[in-house]
C-alpha cells in the first residue's frame, strides 16, 4: 500500500493537494490525529492500495514524539511518504487577510505572525522527513495541482520527471529549483531591434542563437553534465528534478536553451517537461 501524509503550514494548499490525490485514486482522510494513523492503516490496508492522510498542526503535540511512535507502529511493509507544503510568511499573511479566516493556532488568541512561527516549529518533525516539499508562493490552483500530480505519479512510476524551466533573474529565482544556470553572459537578441519583440521559440531567434558558438558550448556542457548525473538521480529514487535556465528577462536566451535541452533529453528514460515562467509577461 502507498501511504502519503499531506501536511504543511495552514494556507499553503493542503486542501488542494488532498483533492488532487483523491482524483488520482487515493482514499483520503482529512485532519487525522497522528496517533490514530496506525489504527487507520491497519483497518484499510486490505481494501485500499493508495491512502492519503492530511495532518493538521492541531493534531500534533509540542514534543513531536507521537509522530515517531505512530510511524513505528505502522505495518513493516508500509513506508510512508510525506508531502510538505509551505509558503513564505508574507504570502500566508496576505492569504489569511484576503480570506479573513482564523489560523488554527490563532484561536488561542495568538497574533497571526506568532501563530505562523509556532506552527513552523510544531511541524518541524514532519518537515524534516518530507519526501516532497512544494513552495506554493506564486502558484495558481492549477499549477499546484499539476506539481502535486507530477511528483506523486513520478514517484509511483519510478520514472524521473525532469523539468527545464526558463526564467528572468529580474523577477527572482523560482522557489523550487534544484539547479540554476545563468545565461546572462551569452549574446542577447534583446539588442537586435528586429528580434527584441520575439521569444526564444521563434525561428528568427533560434537562427540567431544557432550562429553563436558560446551558446552552443553552453548548451553542450549542461547537456553533458546531466547525461552523466541524471541516471544517478533515477537510481536514487528521486522523482522530480527542476533545472532552471535564467537570463535577464526570461524571453530569449533562457527560453531557447530550455527548449534545446528539453529536445535533447526527450525520448530517453526520463519524462521531460519544458516550462517558461515569464511567458505571460510578454
Amino acid at each position: 500500500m502507498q501511504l502519503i501524509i499531506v501536511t504543511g503550514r495552514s494556507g499553503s494548499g493542503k486542501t488542494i493537494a488532498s483533492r488532487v490525490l483523491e482524483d488520482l485514486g487515493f482514499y483520503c482522510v482529512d485532519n487525522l490525529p497522528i496517533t490514530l494513523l496506525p489504527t487507520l492503516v491497519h483497518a484499510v490496508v486490505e481494501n485500499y492500495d493508495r491512502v492519503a492522510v492530511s495532518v493538521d498542526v492541531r493534531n500534533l503535540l509540542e514534543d513531536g514524539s507521537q509522530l515517531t511512535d505512530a510511524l513505528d507502529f505502522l505495518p513493516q511493509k508500509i513506508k510512508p511518504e510525506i508531502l510538505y507544503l509551505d509558503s513564505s510568511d508574507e504570502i500566508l499573511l496576505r492569504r489569511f487577510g484576503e480570506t479573513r479566516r482564523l489560523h488554527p493556532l490563532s484561536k488561542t488568541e495568538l497574533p497571526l505572525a506568532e501563530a505562523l512561527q509556532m506552527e513552523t516549529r510544531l511541524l518541524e518533525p514532519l518537515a524534516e522527513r518530507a519526501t516532497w516539499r512544494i513552495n506554493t508562493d506564486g502558484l495558481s490552483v492549477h499549477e499546484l495541482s499539476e506539481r502535486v500530480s507530477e511528483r506523486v505519479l513520478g514517484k509511483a512510476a519510478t520514472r524521473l520527471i525532469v523539468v527545464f524551466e526558463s526564467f528572468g533573474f529580474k523577477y527572482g529565482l523560482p522557489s523550487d529549483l534544484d539547479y540554476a544556470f545563468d545565461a546572462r553572459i551569452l549574446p542577447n537578441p534583446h539588442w537586435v531591434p528586429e528580434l527584441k519583440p520575439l521569444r526564444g521559440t521563434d525561428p528568427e531567434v533560434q537562427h540567431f542563437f544557432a550562429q553563436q558558438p558560446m551558446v552552443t558550448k553552453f548548451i553542450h556542457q549542461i547537456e553533458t553534465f546531466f547525461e552523466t548525473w541524471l541516471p544517478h538521480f533515477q537510481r536514487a529514487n528521486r522523482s522530480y528534478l527542476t533545472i532552471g535556465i535564467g537570463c535577464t528577462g526570461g524571453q530569449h536566451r533562457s527560453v531557447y536553451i530550455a527548449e534545446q535541452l528539453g529536445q535533447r533529453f526527450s525520448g530517453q528514460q526520463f519524462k521531460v517537461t519544458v516550462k517558461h515562467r515569464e511567458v505571460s509577461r510578454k
Side-chain angles (χ1 to χ4, degrees):
M1 184 181 80
Q2 183 180 13
L3 172 63
I4 295 179
I5 299 172
V6 181
T7 189
R9 296 211 286 173
S10 302
S12 59
K14 296 192 301 295
T15 300
I16 295 169
S18 294
R19 289 173 183 168
V20 171
L21 293 175
E22 188 171 21
D23 290 342
L24 292 174
F26 282 77
Y27 174 72
C28 295
V29 179
D30 287 336
N31 295 332
L32 182 78
I34 196 69
T35 53
L36 296 181
L37 181 61
T39 303
L40 171 72
V41 171
H42 282 283
V44 304
V45 66
E46 300 299 331
N47 299 318
Y48 296 97
D49 293 327
R50 293 185 288 180
V51 175
V53 176
S54 173
V55 175
D56 191 281
V57 66
R58 291 168 291 190
N59 299 321
L60 298 173
L61 300 176
E62 289 209 22
D63 63 2
S65 60
Q66 80 280 24
L67 170 63
T68 303
D69 294 340
L71 297 181
D72 287 343
F73 278 104
L74 291 175
Q76 190 172 5
K77 63 181 179 180
I78 295 177
K79 305 298 181 185
E81 299 160 324
I82 297 176
L83 171 60
Y84 189 90
L85 302 170
D86 201 3
S87 288
S88 64
D89 287 355
E90 178 184 358
I91 295 296
L92 292 177
L93 287 168
R94 189 180 73 194
R95 288 175 183 169
F96 276 103
E98 290 172 349
T99 61
R100 300 183 182 274
R101 293 182 60 193
L102 276 177
H103 187 279
L105 298 179
S106 291
K107 294 179 180 178
T108 61
E109 299 185 355
L110 273 179
L112 179 55
E114 292 182 24
L116 291 173
Q117 294 303 314
M118 177 179 286
E119 182 178 39
T120 300
R121 180 172 57 81
L122 291 174
L123 290 172
E124 189 173 349
L126 283 167
E128 290 176 348
R129 294 171 177 248
T131 309
W132 309 282
R133 294 185 68 121
I134 299 178
N135 186 298
T136 65
D137 287 0
L139 294 183
S140 66
V141 171
H142 174 74
E143 290 169 332
L144 174 56
S145 299
E146 184 180 67
R147 295 198 183 184
V148 171
S149 179
E150 286 176 341
R151 280 158 171 75
V152 173
L153 290 177
K155 182 73 174 181
T158 64
R159 185 183 182 194
L160 178 64
I161 297 173
V162 181
V163 178
F164 293 103
E165 180 175 1
S166 70
F167 67 93
F169 276 100
K170 67 188 293 185
Y171 305 112
L173 280 168
S175 60
D176 59 346
L177 295 185
D178 297 295
Y179 288 90
F181 293 90
D182 189 346
R184 289 176 293 184
I185 58 171
L186 301 177
N188 190 357
H190 177 83
W191 305 112
V192 181
E194 61 270 23
L195 300 181
K196 180 178 178 179
L198 303 178
R199 290 196 183 97
T201 52
D202 291 313
E204 297 89 342
V205 176
Q206 292 176 347
H207 177 75
F208 170 86
F209 283 130
Q211 311 306 309
Q212 308 293 330
M214 282 183 66
V215 175
T216 301
K217 185 175 183 179
F218 188 88
I219 295 171
H220 173 72
Q221 291 187 338
I222 295 176
E223 179 186 10
T224 301
F225 176 83
F226 285 110
E227 279 181 342
T228 300
W229 293 108
L230 284 181
H232 292 274
F233 282 105
Q234 176 100 317
R235 288 195 288 272
N237 292 322
R238 183 71 176 263
S239 62
Y240 204 91
L241 192 74
T242 303
I243 301 161
I245 310 295
C247 60
T248 303
Q251 298 292 336
H252 297 111
R253 293 166 289 185
S254 60
V255 171
Y256 174 78
I257 294 167
E259 288 285 340
Q260 289 293 308
L261 291 168
Q263 292 174 19
R264 297 182 188 202
F265 283 95
S266 64
Q268 298 188 25
Q269 58 183 313
F270 319 108
K271 177 177 171 54
V272 176
T273 301
V274 178
K275 296 181 178 179
H276 304 302
R277 191 185 71 172
E278 321 303 357
V279 66
S280 61
R281 299 183 188 271
K282 191 67 173 176

